[in-house]
Amino acid sequence: MAESKQFLPRTYGYLRPLALTAVWLLLPVCGGWAEGQEAAAFRNPGERMVFTSAMGFYVEEGKALSVEEARSLFEAGEFLDCREEWFGLGMMEGTVWLAGTLLNLTQEERLVLEIRNPRLSYVDLYVATGNGYQEYKSGTARPFDMRPIHHPMPSFPIELKPGAQTTVLLRLENTGDFRLRAWLWAAPAFYDRISTAYYPELIAIGVLLVLAIFHLLVFVSLREAGYLYLCLFITSWMLFFVAGNGIGNMLLWRDMPWFAARANNLFLVLMCATFVIFSKSFLDSRRYTPRLARLAAAFVVLCLADFVFVLCTDLLISLQFNRYLAVGALMLVGVMDLQAMRRGSRMAKLFLASWIFVLASGVLLLLLSWQLVSAQWVIGTQLINILFVTSILLWSFELTGRIKLRVQEQRHLLEARVKQRTQKLEQALRDVKTLSGLLPICSNCKKIRDDQGYWNSVEHFVRERTDADFTHGICPDCFETLYPELMDPQRRRPTEAN
């Protein structure tokens, strides 16, 4: 008995923390049963929580739903489960509702819900309260200062007391990519995180800006068009990058919601056009592939027409067409490079080494937009930016080598011209030496004997050996000898005609 009395307290000592842990884990489930839906429990205020997998979604078809109607459908189980960290419906145009029940198991009352997609047009958050709903608005189609939290991603504050739970509804209206993650933060952790979260993006923007300015200065100095085209390509990529991650909306076009909703697609079209222009110039397509050069010019005109179309409309078809435009740019440049390589272009081989990196980054972007590859590791490692900057650096080195080749060609041309002119001067000097020696001349008829033994007139001899020519006249002495009757006997000069 004594041993059993000692054993029970020991066993209870081990089982008590396990029992408390089980009850603690079952609390959110019980709270979810009380609401009719499973609640997502937010436990650790120091880390973010993936809220997407605990939410459901509903796509509006026809009639627009009110907040009360959307919540009634959610509680009735009409919403489909997201289940995954990433929620995505692909490219579409419409309105989607996301809803979930949140249980706060921390001592932090201030929470932040972050929506990880900076290109959504309209994002409205409704948090159920005792008196109704607390509403917040965000999205690219609204001025940036209208956002409750000034952050590139749509972010919303949520006030929820410890141990309390509430229903959260999101209304998303967009024309484009419906793909996002919903992250839940404690407010202090969120603000600590965003203070350093965009350092990699800002570093990438700084590198691209330095490269663009460098190539512009080189163009101004050397007047090499390739540097200007590469500068335009880098600038368009940089703008496409800042439009895609929301930094441009926060820093550059805060009060331009009309432009912010189209910026990503506009800069994608410009990037395709400048890439083809740069490639055409770098590969000297007019010389090696004239037909493809004309096709590239037509492609640039098509890009400009699409740019105007995107400016004038926000239809889904324009966004889908831009994808095929990007694929067409990669394919056209690849064919131009291979054809130029077949015809002996040395620069085509160098271009191919850099084009492979652009091709890889472009393929990753397309796979990302088509949801064929997970975005977490691509975006998390900044792989696309690394590939792109690598190709830019290689092209810069190749342009430098190209200028060296042109300098060498120019030097050879100048040397050939100098050699040709030197030969002409030497020939002239030889002719001058011939006339500077003793010339055998006839004492009677004044003909001159050349090196071959032929007697030539003075006019012919001088004309053949110099650049001089003759014009004939008569001197006064000969005039007096030949025409004495025309002379004035007093002055011994020719008589002036009346």
Side-chain angles (χ1 to χ4, degrees):
M1 289 293 295
E3 294 180 358
S4 62
K5 288 181 180 180
Q6 293 177 358
F7 175 76
L8 287 175
R10 290 179 186 175
T11 306
Y12 179 72
Y14 291 114
L15 292 178
R16 183 170 59 181
L18 294 176
L20 292 176
T21 304
V23 172
W24 180 59
L25 292 174
L26 288 175
L27 278 176
V29 177
C30 296
W33 287 342
E35 279 295 314
Q37 294 286 342
E38 184 177 355
F42 182 62
R43 299 184 178 90
N44 191 347
E47 298 178 0
R48 67 172 183 260
M49 167 189 167
V50 178
F51 193 41
T52 323
S53 57
M55 302 180 76
F57 72 94
Y58 184 86
V59 181
E60 281 190 1
E61 296 181 359
K63 179 185 175 182
L65 298 177
S66 64
V67 184
E68 291 79 7
E69 291 173 340
R71 183 177 181 181
S72 299
L73 291 174
F74 172 64
E75 293 178 348
E78 296 294 331
F79 277 49
L80 300 177
D81 294 335
C82 295
R83 295 184 180 179
E84 301 291 338
E85 179 180 357
W86 281 90
F87 166 73
L89 296 177
M91 296 285 290
M92 61 173 287
E93 181 178 4
T95 303
V96 178
W97 286 86
L98 293 175
T101 302
L102 174 62
L103 173 63
N104 185 11
L105 295 180
T106 69
Q107 298 302 314
E108 181 62 50
E109 296 185 4
R110 298 180 303 120
L111 307 179
V112 174
L113 180 63
E114 181 185 12
I115 307 302
R116 300 292 298 178
N117 186 339
R119 296 183 299 276
L120 295 171
S121 299
Y122 297 93
V123 184
D124 301 332
L125 176 70
Y126 303 93
V127 182
T129 62
N131 300 326
Y133 296 92
Q134 193 171 7
E135 182 180 356
Y136 300 99
K137 295 182 178 297
S138 184
T140 59
R142 298 186 173 105
F144 189 83
D145 292 334
M146 189 176 180
R147 300 189 178 194
I149 297 177
H150 289 183
H151 184 53
M153 304 290 175
S155 304
F156 309 95
I158 298 177
E159 298 289 337
L160 189 61
K161 294 181 179 180
Q165 69 179 28
T166 186
T167 300
V168 177
L169 294 101
L170 278 168
R171 183 181 181 275
L172 311 175
E173 184 179 349
N174 191 38
T175 299
D177 190 9
F178 270 95
R179 182 176 45 172
L180 58 93
R181 286 181 292 180
W183 285 351
L184 191 66
W185 300 80
F190 173 77
Y191 289 110
D192 288 343
R193 179 255 178 189
I194 65 174
S195 62
T196 58
Y198 284 89
Y199 280 176
E201 283 81 359
L202 294 175
I203 291 173
I205 293 171
V207 171
L208 293 173
L209 184 61
V210 169
L211 288 174
I213 295 174
F214 168 76
H215 288 91
L216 181 61
L217 294 177
V218 174
F219 164 72
V220 173
S221 176
L222 301 179
R223 299 296 179 181
E224 172 63 33
Y227 282 99
L228 176 62
Y229 299 146
L230 186 56
C231 172
L232 295 176
F233 179 42
I234 297 171
T235 304
S236 61
W237 167 264
M238 180 178 62
L239 293 173
F240 172 74
F241 175 62
V242 299
N245 58 23
I247 296 178
N249 191 24
M250 182 176 66
L251 300 179
L252 302 179
W253 43 82
R254 295 172 63 96
D255 299 325
M256 301 171 62
W258 173 84
F259 181 78
R262 296 170 171 81
N264 188 256
N265 292 287
L266 289 175
F267 294 132
L268 175 61
V269 176
L270 286 181
M271 186 174 65
C272 293
T274 54
F275 180 51
V276 172
I277 293 173
F278 165 71
S279 304
K280 179 173 173 288
S281 172
F282 188 93
L283 295 172
D284 198 5
S285 297
R286 291 184 179 179
R287 174 184 177 185
Y288 292 100
T289 57
R291 292 184 179 178
L292 291 177
R294 291 192 290 270
L295 182 61
F299 182 87
V300 173
V301 173
L302 179 63
C303 290
L304 296 178
D306 184 52
F307 182 84
V308 176
F309 182 69
V310 175
L311 274 177
C312 299
T313 181
D314 57 352
L315 295 177
L316 183 63
I317 188 174
S318 65
L319 308 182
Q320 295 171 338
F321 180 73
N322 288 344
R323 293 182 175 182
Y324 298 107
L325 202 66
V327 174
L330 292 174
M331 294 179 61
L332 177 59
V333 171
V335 173
M336 282 196 303
D337 183 64
L338 294 176
Q339 284 291 98
M341 191 183 305
R342 285 182 55 191
R343 298 185 179 182
S345 173
R346 178 178 176 272
M347 300 305 298
K349 298 179 181 179
L350 300 175
F351 182 87
L352 182 62
S354 302
W355 177 79
I356 290 175
F357 291 96
V358 173
L359 178 64
S361 60
V363 170
L364 281 177
L365 277 174
L366 291 172
L367 293 177
L368 195 61
S369 62
W370 286 330
Q371 299 185 14
L372 298 178
V373 66
S374 175
Q376 185 173 2
W377 65 274
V378 176
I379 297 177
T381 58
Q382 300 293 328
L383 181 59
I384 294 176
N385 289 328
I386 293 173
L387 291 173
F388 183 82
V389 172
T390 302
S391 63
I392 293 297
L393 293 175
L394 290 176
W395 273 326
S396 299
F397 297 149
E398 291 163 9
L399 279 174
T400 304
R402 182 179 182 179
I403 290 179
K404 290 181 179 179
L405 290 176
R406 288 192 175 184
V407 170
Q408 292 178 357
E409 292 176 357
Q410 188 71 16
R411 183 182 302 169
H412 293 328
L413 180 62
L414 291 175
E415 290 177 353
R417 289 180 179 178
V418 170
K419 184 177 181 181
Q420 183 179 6
R421 292 183 179 181
T422 302
Q423 290 176 352
K424 289 183 178 181
L425 290 174
E426 290 177 350
Q427 181 64 35
L429 287 175
R430 285 195 296 268
D431 294 339
V432 171
K433 289 181 180 179
T434 301
L435 295 178
S436 64
L438 295 175
L439 299 178
I441 186 171
C442 176
S443 58
N444 182 35
C445 65
K446 308 303 179 185
K447 289 184 177 180
I448 300 176
R449 187 182 65 193
D450 59 16
D451 296 337
Q452 286 75 28
Y454 295 100
W455 293 87
N456 300 300
S457 64
V458 175
E459 295 91 337
H460 181 271
F461 189 86
V462 174
R463 189 181 294 115
E464 288 293 325
R465 286 162 174 77
T466 66
D467 293 332
D469 203 351
F470 293 90
T471 177
H472 293 81
I474 188 167
C475 67
D477 295 337
C478 292
F479 189 87
E480 183 180 359
T481 303
L482 295 175
Y483 308 103
E485 67 277 7
L486 299 178
M487 296 293 296
D488 187 351
Q490 296 180 356
R491 298 182 179 181
R492 306 294 295 173
R493 290 183 180 180
T495 305
E496 295 182 358
N498 294 329

